[in-house]
Amino acid sequence: MRAQDSATGPATIAATQTDGGKAPAPRSAGTILAALGVVAFSLTFPATAWGLEGFGPWSLVAVRSALAAIIAGGCLLALRVPLPAPPHWAGLAVVAGGVVLGFPLLTTLALRSSTTAHAAVVVGLLPLTTAVFSALRVGVRPSRTFWLAALAGAAAVLAFTVQQSGGALTGADAYLFGALLVCAAGYTEGGRLARVMPGWQVIAWALVLCLPLSVPASLIALSYEPVHLTAHAVAGLLWVAAGSQFLGLVVWYRGMAAVGIPRASQLQLAQPLLTLVWSVLLLGEQLTPAAPLTAAAVLVCIVVTQRARG
């Protein structure tokens, strides 16, 4: 396979607002795609909790990465997609380290001792952190109104999730805040790459890049950690592999390319609240009366960030 030919300078990135040579999705379509990604991501923590019922944390992370890589690699082979251009591999390595390995591993380790409600603190800060990363890495400069709304949304989500978890810090917080940083870096780099190559190929190649690590890691982890196959465990594994790790990121990066990294990132303000809803429905956790008030505040902040200029 030959490498994809594309320049990578800032001027080229600004001019090439395409997805594999196709016209970019309209902003409304891009917002819908990014929102679908958020819905997929909101199921990640409950699905991980299900997966941990039958798999150890290292086995769950390694196997989900290997399965997602097999799906992605099959798509790349079936469509005869050429290798990315050499300059893109460094960015793909950042995506792989952040969203394929780092975030799943750190959050899975945290969920061994943390509830999904407490883990939602990570997602509550992720939109703001991603916007900051994009400003530093890509040079995007949103307006003051955008930043004020983003800060207000992050504050509302943080206040709610801390109240939901009783206000106590846990030993899992180090894992959670580490996951926050590596995921924001992976989102930013993936959103940048999605401006010059198809968004689904960004995550597909990042997954394939991890295959030499994920396959042997799966074999080693499965040999050391006990496995108890239950319906919950299998369903959780399949979702985090196919839904969260691949399909969710496909629409997410496509949406980011269409509406921009900062705007798309702010849609994730709704993710912790969606996660808590899933936690009630799937895990039997309880919500407080503050949930609808927080949801209303978050929706207002999302609307403001989507309408803000810059």
Side-chain angles (χ1 to χ4, degrees):
M1 293 187 289
R2 59 181 180 83
Q4 291 175 339
D5 299 322
S6 60
T8 57
T12 302
I13 294 175
T16 313
Q17 308 290 329
T18 64
D19 192 2
K22 299 178 181 178
R27 174 165 293 180
S28 58
T31 300
I32 292 173
L33 289 171
L36 288 175
V38 170
V39 173
F41 300 153
S42 70
L43 277 161
T44 299
F45 286 168
T48 300
W50 272 10
L52 286 172
E53 293 179 11
F55 296 90
W58 296 93
S59 299
L60 182 62
V61 173
V63 173
R64 73 179 271 185
S65 178
L67 288 178
I70 292 172
I71 296 172
C75 293
L76 292 170
L77 287 174
L79 297 175
R80 298 182 179 180
V81 176
L83 290 169
H88 296 334
W89 284 107
L92 290 171
V94 174
V95 176
V99 302
V100 177
L101 297 178
F103 186 80
L105 176 60
L106 292 171
T107 53
T108 300
L109 291 173
L111 285 171
R112 292 182 304 169
S113 58
S114 173
T115 65
T116 56
H118 189 78
V121 172
V122 174
V123 181
L125 284 174
L126 187 55
L128 181 61
T129 308
T130 303
V132 172
F133 270 61
S134 70
L136 297 174
R137 177 69 177 92
V138 187
V140 178
R141 295 292 183 267
S143 66
R144 182 178 300 180
T145 300
F146 173 93
W147 287 116
L148 289 174
L151 286 168
V157 172
L158 275 176
F160 175 68
T161 50
V162 170
Q163 181 270 336
Q164 183 78 6
S165 61
L169 294 177
T170 69
D173 287 326
Y175 290 129
L176 294 174
F177 286 112
L180 165 72
L181 295 176
V182 298
C183 190
Y187 279 173
T188 300
E189 199 64 22
R192 184 188 69 83
L193 287 172
R195 307 293 287 272
V196 295
M197 61 188 295
W200 76 271
Q201 291 183 26
V202 173
I203 185 57
W205 285 117
L207 286 164
V208 171
L209 191 63
C210 293
L211 200 55
L213 294 175
S214 60
V215 170
S218 299
L219 297 176
I220 294 172
L222 289 171
S223 66
Y224 280 94
E225 293 180 333
V227 175
H228 305 287
L229 294 181
T230 65
H232 276 184
V234 173
L237 172 62
L238 291 178
W239 178 258
V240 294
S244 303
Q245 195 81 79
F246 185 58
L247 296 177
L249 285 166
V250 167
V251 294
W252 174 246
Y253 283 135
R254 183 71 174 98
M256 291 180 84
V259 302
I261 298 171
R263 280 195 174 91
S265 69
Q266 297 313 298
L267 294 173
Q268 283 197 297
L269 286 171
Q271 187 172 325
L273 299 174
L274 290 172
T275 295
L276 293 173
V277 171
W278 294 124
S279 298
V280 170
L281 296 176
L282 301 177
L283 303 176
E285 296 184 6
Q286 299 296 318
L287 287 181
T288 67
L293 296 177
T294 306
V298 165
L299 288 175
V300 171
C301 294
I302 290 175
V303 170
V304 173
T305 60
Q306 297 307 299
R307 292 179 177 273
R309 296 180 61 185

